[in-house]
């Protein structure tokens, strides 16, 4: 709201202006009256002038026409002189520009292109007006020399300024997509800005005036070499870093592990390393039944218990430590995965650079040629991996085949980016990655099937059997192999689905591949169970055979339960867990029957009947002595033998001991109570060697070589 003081002042100001306007209006009225009078006077004067001007015009017009004709003649003369000067200038172009053309465009491209424009115009003039003149040949030769110099300058600029991208910068570029934190975008400068501008100007001139596309071949050859060398440099960086520090350096790459699709190469968990080492060892000692089985010394007692514990920890450590880089196989795998991602990023960058330099209708073809060497190198290395896996399958070395899984998964995750980058390239170029993926899926499926068959047909029954009845290496390695499939469920399922001949397999869903993988795992477990049953027959003692099967079944069940394998198995076999528990209980019962030869001596049904207070006959005393002696000898023998057996699972070991201890103590306690006061011998300490608690202590030391 306006203050009252301002309003009053404003009102006074308006009133003053109104008064001034009224005075002005009065003045205007007076002026108009005077103007009317003056107008009348002026009209009479103009009428007089009009008549005089008509007379003057009739006199001037002839003179004007004559002057106009003279001006036109002068203009024609000037134009003629200008044209003569222009024509004469063409005859001086060669001499004026020869020095510049001879010295070349380096360092003065703008001036050089200006001279080339003059020469171009001279060539066009002589071709149109004097095609037989010697001047035409002179400027033509000069133009060709200038064009060659520009082509040479283009090559020189590309060669001097094209640099290999450093491995650290590539790793930072790859890692950029996975960083959750906001960070500066990694920008690749393939050419300095000044050099790039010169290259662009030269390329445009060569296309527009030079009518020469050879520079495109020069461009793709130079850039192709740099792209290929950049990727090879990254691979070499991995090798050197792994041999020196163990970890390829990149400040922007965190140690992360993902199973979901990602642009960043996936780090394999430590279990793969442990599994590969164990599978290598196993493949050398009898998975194929041909190599050195007799040279492998079975581990016994706590030594074998420690091995099984180590295997269990490895199995349960799903997010194990990052694998050591001292293994060349692991380095090569990680290097290849990174090189695939590097190719995508570098190819994208190369295409962006190319669009500024190469004409639009030549860009796709030039890009196709540019990436061929690097792409062929990657595909060749991929095929070498497939070939190595194929040879490894023949040797039954399934550890090498494990490298296919992370590579294949990464290739499939990267395929959408590959397809986007390769848009517009030749069909043969686009089909290279799908062809490699198909090869890897085929060899992976072959490896899975061969592994299942080898688990079933492993003939090594005599040399590699644990003497203490603990978990067989076949079992631990089979479980560890299956454990790896959890990290590559989609990949393994796709491998199996790719071999299906049904029409549904051509467009299989994740649920379909999951069922196939579940079926495969159940097949491996079934084959393993059949093989274990066959191996258990090697033991002459049925009780040790039962302990062996118990340990293996229990290990399998616990391994399934402590991982996602049990859920995967349940997809096609709902009762698998219950079935293993029944098998375990069945083997426990079989083992417990080994104690019948001890307890039968003292069981009530086999004891002699006698009347209280009646003196025992010699035959009855001898029978009681035999019962004590049979029990003592049987107890000592079983404890001695079974102390060397192993049950690695503490819970199961305590459970089996406790049940057996309760049965034996109860039977022996009743037996002692029955004959404690019966005078069947003059030397009772000879026959009553153990008290009930002592028997329990002896059973507590079963399955314990340190006791």
């Amino acid at each position: 709201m306006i203050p009252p003081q301002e309003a009053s002042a404003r009102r006074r100001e308006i009133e003053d202006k109104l008064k001034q306007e009224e005075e002005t209006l009065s003045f205007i009225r007076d002026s108009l009256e005077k103007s009317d009078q003056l107008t009348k006077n002026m009209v009479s004067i103009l009428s007089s002038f009009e008549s005089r001007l008509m007379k003057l015009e009739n006199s001037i017009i002839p003179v004007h026409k004559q002057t106009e004709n003279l001006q036109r003649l002068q203009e024609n003369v000037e134009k003629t002189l200008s044209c003569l000067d222009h024509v004469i200038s063409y005859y001086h172009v060669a001499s004026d520009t020869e020095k510049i053309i001879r010295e070349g465009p380096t360092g003065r491209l703008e001036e050089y292109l200006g001279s080339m424009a003059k020469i171009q115009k001279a060539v066009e003039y002589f071709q149109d007006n004097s095609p037989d003149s010697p001047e035409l040949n002179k400027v033509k030769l000069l133009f060709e020399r200038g064009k060659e110099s520009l082509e040479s300058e283009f090559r020189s600029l590309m060669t001097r300024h094209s640099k290999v991208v450093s491995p650290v910068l590539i790793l930072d570029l790859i890692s950029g997509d996975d960083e959750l934190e906001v960070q500066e975008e990694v920008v690749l400068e393939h050419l300095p800005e000044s050099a790039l501008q010169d290259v662009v100007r030269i390329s445009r001139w060569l296309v527009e005036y030079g009518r020469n596309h050879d520079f495109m071949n020069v461009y793709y050859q130079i850039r192709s070499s740099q792209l290929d060398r950049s990727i090879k440099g990254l691979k070499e960086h991995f090798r050197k870093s792994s041999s020196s520090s163990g970890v390829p350096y990149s400040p922007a790459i965190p140690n992360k592990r993902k199973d979901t699709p990602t642009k960043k190469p996936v780090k394999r968990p430590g279990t793969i390393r442990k599994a590969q080492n164990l599978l290598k060892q196993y493949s050398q000692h009898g998975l194929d039944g041909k190599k050195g089985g007799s040279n492998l010394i079975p581990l016994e007692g706590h030594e074998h218990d420690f091995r099984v514990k180590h295997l269990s920890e490895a199995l349960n450590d799903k997010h194990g430590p990052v694998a050591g880089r001292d293994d060349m196989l692991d380095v090569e795998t990680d290097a290849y995965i990174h090189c695939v991602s590097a190719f995508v990023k570098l190819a994208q960058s190369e295409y962006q650079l190319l669009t500024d330099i190469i004409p639009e209708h030549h860009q796709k073809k030039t890009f196709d040629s540019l990436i061929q060497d690097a792409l062929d190198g990657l595909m060749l290395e991929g095929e070498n991996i497939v070939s190595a896996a194929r040879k490894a399958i023949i040797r039954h070395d399934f550890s090498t085949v494990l490298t296919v899984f992370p590579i294949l998964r990464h290739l499939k995750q990267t395929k959408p980016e590959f397809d986007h980058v390769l848009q517009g390239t030749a069909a043969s170029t686009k089909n290279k990655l799908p062809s490699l993926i198909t090869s890897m899926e085929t060899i992976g499926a072959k490896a899975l099937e061969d592994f299942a068959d080898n688990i079933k047909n492993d003939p090594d029954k005599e040399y590699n059997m644990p003497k203490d009845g603990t978990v067989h290496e076949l079992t631990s390695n089979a479980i560890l192999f299956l454990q790896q499939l959890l990290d590559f469920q989609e990949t393994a399922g796709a491998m199996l689905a790719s071999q299906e001949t049904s029409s549904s397999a051509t467009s299989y869903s994740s649920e379909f591949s999951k069922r196939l993988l579940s079926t495969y795992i159940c097949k491996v477990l079934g084959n393993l169970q059949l093989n274990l049953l066959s191996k258990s027959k090697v033991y002459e003692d049925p009780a040790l055979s039962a302990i062996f099967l118990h340990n293996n079944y229990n290990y399998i069940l616990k391994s399934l339960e402590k991982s996602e394998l049990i859920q995967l198995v349940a997809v096609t076999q709902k009762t698998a867990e219950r079935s293993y528990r029944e098998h375990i209980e069945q083997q426990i019962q079989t083992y417990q029957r080994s104690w019948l030869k001890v307890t039968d001596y003292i069981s009530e049904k086999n004891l002699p009947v006698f009347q209280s207070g009646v003196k025992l006959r010699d035959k009855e005393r001898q029978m009681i002595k035999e019962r004590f002696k049979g029990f003592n000898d049987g107890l000592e023998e079983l404890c001695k033998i079974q102390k060397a057996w192993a049950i690695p699972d503490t819970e199961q070991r305590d459970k089996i001991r406790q049940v057996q201890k309760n049965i034996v103590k109860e039977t022996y306690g009743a037996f002692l109570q029955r004959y404690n006061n019966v005078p069947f011998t003059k030397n009772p300490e000879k026959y009553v060697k153990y008290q009930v608690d002592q028997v329990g202590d002896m059973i507590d030391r079963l399955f314990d070589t340190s006791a």
Side-chain angles (χ1 to χ4, degrees):
M1 180 177 290
I2 301 175
Q5 295 82 354
E6 291 187 17
S8 176
R10 182 65 173 166
R11 184 165 56 253
R12 286 194 301 269
E13 183 181 347
I14 293 173
E15 289 175 351
D16 293 342
K17 286 186 177 181
L18 182 59
K19 184 177 179 180
Q20 291 176 1
E21 294 295 335
E22 288 174 349
E23 292 175 354
T24 303
L25 181 60
S26 175
F27 174 75
I28 290 174
R29 287 194 187 102
D30 295 340
S31 298
L32 285 174
E33 291 175 358
K34 293 178 181 180
S35 178
D36 289 341
Q37 183 62 39
L38 291 173
T39 300
K40 291 176 182 179
N41 295 334
M42 183 61 70
V43 168
S44 63
I45 294 172
L46 289 175
S47 297
S48 175
F49 269 112
E50 183 178 6
S51 62
R52 293 180 181 181
L53 284 172
M54 288 180 66
K55 292 178 182 180
L56 182 63
E57 182 179 353
N58 292 332
S59 301
I60 293 299
I61 285 176
V63 176
H64 172 71
K65 288 183 178 179
Q66 186 178 4
T67 303
E68 188 178 31
N69 290 333
L70 291 173
Q71 287 177 341
R72 187 179 297 112
L73 289 173
Q74 183 180 359
E75 289 176 358
N76 289 337
V77 170
E78 289 176 353
K79 288 181 179 179
T80 302
L81 291 174
S82 177
C83 288
L84 287 173
D85 289 340
H86 181 68
V87 170
I88 292 171
S89 69
Y90 288 128
Y91 286 86
H92 295 288
V93 165
S95 59
D96 292 343
T97 60
E98 185 175 7
K99 181 180 179 182
I100 296 175
I101 299 303
R102 185 174 62 252
E103 292 176 353
T106 304
R108 54 177 184 179
L109 181 62
E110 192 70 29
E111 181 184 4
Y112 193 89
L113 291 178
S115 297
M116 289 298 293
K118 292 179 182 179
I119 297 171
Q120 174 72 14
K121 290 179 181 179
V123 170
E124 292 172 355
Y125 171 79
F126 288 122
Q127 283 178 335
D128 293 338
N129 298 282
S130 183
D132 297 329
S133 66
E135 284 77 9
L136 175 60
N137 293 331
K138 185 181 292 184
V139 291
K140 270 188 173 181
L141 288 174
L142 197 59
F143 182 81
E144 290 300 323
R145 186 190 304 172
K147 186 172 70 172
E148 290 175 1
S149 295
L150 285 173
E151 292 172 353
S152 177
E153 178 69 5
F154 182 90
R155 178 187 294 274
S156 177
L157 287 171
M158 291 297 303
T159 303
R160 289 200 317 268
H161 297 288
S162 291
K163 304 298 182 184
V164 174
V165 183
S166 70
V168 172
L169 187 58
I170 295 176
L171 291 173
D172 291 343
L173 181 68
I174 295 172
S175 70
D177 292 330
D178 284 336
E179 290 299 308
L180 299 179
E181 302 83 2
V182 177
Q183 67 172 36
E184 292 186 10
E185 182 181 359
V186 180
V187 178
L188 296 181
E189 186 182 66
H190 296 293
L191 296 173
E193 186 62 28
S194 59
L196 177 60
Q197 294 302 322
D198 287 350
V199 167
V200 170
R201 293 206 61 187
I202 293 174
S203 68
R204 290 177 180 174
W205 189 94
L206 290 173
V207 171
E208 186 175 357
Y209 302 108
R211 294 177 175 80
N212 188 343
H213 294 162
D214 290 344
F215 77 94
M216 299 182 194
N217 296 332
V218 172
Y219 176 85
Y220 92 71
Q221 289 168 1
I222 293 174
R223 294 309 307 167
S224 175
S225 174
Q226 299 303 324
L227 175 62
D228 191 42
R229 289 170 60 193
S230 296
I231 294 176
K232 288 179 179 177
L234 177 62
K235 184 176 180 181
E236 188 63 25
H237 174 72
F238 268 82
R239 291 176 176 171
K240 290 181 179 178
S241 298
S242 64
S243 61
S244 59
S245 62
V247 180
Y249 168 71
S250 174
I253 291 190
N255 288 329
K256 296 192 290 186
R257 176 182 177 269
K258 296 182 180 179
D259 189 33
T260 55
T262 176
K263 296 178 183 178
K264 182 185 173 192
V266 179
K267 300 288 185 184
R268 285 177 292 155
T271 24
I272 285 190
R273 176 62 42 239
K274 296 173 185 175
Q276 285 182 335
N277 291 337
L278 289 167
L279 286 169
K280 281 181 181 178
Q281 184 183 25
Y282 187 68
S283 66
Q284 295 170 356
H285 294 295
L287 184 57
D288 58 356
K290 297 178 182 179
K291 291 186 178 181
S294 59
N295 295 327
L296 184 68
I297 302 174
L299 302 174
E300 299 184 15
H302 278 292
E303 186 180 2
H304 202 290
D305 184 21
F306 174 79
R307 181 182 66 81
V308 174
K309 179 181 179 183
H310 174 72
L311 293 175
S312 299
E313 291 173 350
L315 182 63
N316 295 331
D317 184 15
K318 294 172 62 179
H319 301 278
V322 176
R325 303 291 173 161
D326 55 343
D327 190 299
M328 184 55 67
L329 185 64
D330 192 34
V331 172
E332 293 294 335
T333 300
D334 287 340
Y336 186 72
I337 287 174
H338 280 77
C339 287
V340 169
S341 294
F343 172 81
V344 173
K345 293 297 183 184
L346 293 176
Q348 289 173 342
S349 181
E350 287 291 345
Y351 190 77
Q352 292 173 358
L353 176 66
L354 177 144
T355 54
D356 292 330
I357 300 173
I358 304 300
E360 184 176 359
H361 54 288
H362 291 284
Q363 289 173 2
K364 294 295 184 181
K365 183 179 179 181
T366 305
F367 179 69
D368 195 345
S369 301
L370 189 155
I371 62 174
Q372 283 303 314
D373 286 349
L375 182 59
D376 287 344
L378 284 177
M379 296 302 107
L380 177 60
E381 192 170 349
E383 290 298 338
N384 289 340
I385 292 172
V386 172
S387 178
R390 187 177 292 111
K391 294 176 182 178
I393 292 173
I394 296 175
R395 300 192 308 269
H396 305 298
D397 175 14
F398 295 98
S399 63
T400 303
V401 182
L402 285 174
T403 62
V404 172
F405 284 78
I407 292 174
L408 176 59
R409 178 174 65 182
H410 186 68
L411 289 179
K412 296 180 79 171
Q413 290 170 357
T414 314
K415 186 176 182 298
E417 284 187 281
F418 249 98
D419 294 342
H420 180 72
V421 170
L422 300 182
Q423 281 182 351
T425 58
S428 58
T429 302
K430 294 178 182 177
N431 292 334
K432 286 180 180 180
L433 180 64
S435 177
L436 178 59
I437 289 175
T438 300
S439 297
M440 286 195 170
E441 283 189 331
T442 302
I443 199 64
K446 170 69 173 172
L448 292 175
E449 290 303 319
D450 277 27
F451 183 80
D453 291 342
N454 276 278
I455 291 295
K456 179 180 179 180
N457 301 320
D458 172 35
D460 188 8
K461 297 178 182 177
E462 299 179 5
Y463 302 112
N464 199 25
M465 294 299 292
K467 294 180 180 179
D468 55 3
T470 190
V471 179
H472 197 280
E473 282 186 304
L474 179 67
T475 302
S476 59
N477 283 297
I479 292 297
L480 282 168
F481 187 86
L482 295 180
Q483 180 69 40
Q484 309 318 307
L485 301 186
L486 290 176
D487 294 324
F488 307 99
Q489 292 186 42
E490 292 186 8
T491 304
M495 286 178 176
L496 297 170
S498 67
Q499 304 306 303
E500 290 293 308
T501 56
S502 62
S503 58
S504 62
T506 58
S507 58
Y508 55 86
S509 63
S510 58
E511 185 62 30
F512 175 72
S513 61
K514 188 175 184 180
R515 290 188 64 82
L516 283 178
L517 183 58
S518 175
T519 301
Y520 171 77
I521 292 175
C522 292
K523 177 182 178 180
V524 172
L525 293 176
N527 291 348
L528 177 60
Q529 186 173 340
L530 290 174
N531 201 320
L532 291 173
L533 282 171
S534 177
K535 290 181 183 301
S536 68
K537 296 176 182 178
V538 171
Y539 296 110
E540 296 180 0
D541 192 334
L544 181 55
S545 177
I547 290 296
F548 171 76
L549 291 176
H550 163 273
N551 284 332
N552 283 270
Y553 291 156
N554 182 65
Y555 179 78
I556 294 171
L557 178 60
K558 289 295 178 66
S559 300
L560 294 178
E561 289 177 335
K562 290 178 182 179
S563 67
E564 297 175 12
L565 279 173
I566 193 65
Q567 288 89 347
L568 202 52
V569 169
V571 171
T572 53
Q573 284 196 11
K574 305 292 185 184
T575 62
E577 186 175 359
R578 185 181 67 189
S579 176
Y580 273 111
R581 294 192 186 282
E582 290 174 353
H583 287 320
I584 291 169
E585 188 58 36
Q586 181 182 355
Q587 298 309 318
I588 292 176
Q589 293 175 4
T590 301
Y591 162 74
Q592 288 175 343
R593 285 197 289 271
S594 69
W595 283 85
L596 290 178
K597 62 182 180 181
V598 176
T599 56
D600 277 352
Y601 280 105
I602 58 175
S603 61
E604 187 173 354
K605 63 180 180 179
N606 294 326
L607 295 179
V609 180
F610 59 89
Q611 296 179 356
S612 178
V614 178
K615 185 178 180 181
L616 296 176
R617 291 176 294 176
D618 291 343
K619 183 178 180 181
E620 292 173 338
R621 286 196 298 272
Q622 185 60 33
M623 185 175 294
I624 294 172
K625 291 177 182 179
E626 290 176 357
R627 293 287 183 267
F628 270 104
K629 186 176 185 305
F631 172 78
N632 293 335
D633 292 346
L635 176 67
E636 292 169 356
E637 180 184 0
L638 281 186
C639 287
K640 180 181 178 181
I641 294 173
Q642 295 184 10
K643 184 177 70 170
W645 297 354
I647 299 180
D649 189 318
T650 305
E651 182 181 351
Q652 285 288 314
R653 183 167 65 236
D654 293 342
K655 175 184 173 183
I656 292 173
R657 283 172 175 172
Q658 189 61 43
V659 172
Q660 199 59 55
K661 184 169 64 172
N662 292 342
I663 295 173
V664 176
K665 284 178 66 175
E666 182 180 352
T667 306
Y668 185 60
F671 180 73
L672 280 184
Q673 186 175 2
R674 184 183 186 107
Y675 292 105
N676 194 35
N677 296 320
V678 176
F680 66 91
T681 179
K682 294 180 180 179
N683 300 311
E685 66 280 357
K686 179 179 178 180
Y687 298 98
V688 186
K689 296 175 64 175
Y690 305 104
Q691 296 300 316
V692 175
D693 289 340
Q694 289 178 301
V695 172
D697 292 340
M698 293 174 69
I699 295 176
D700 279 335
R701 291 193 291 270
L702 295 179
F703 317 116
D704 188 353
T705 56
S706 64

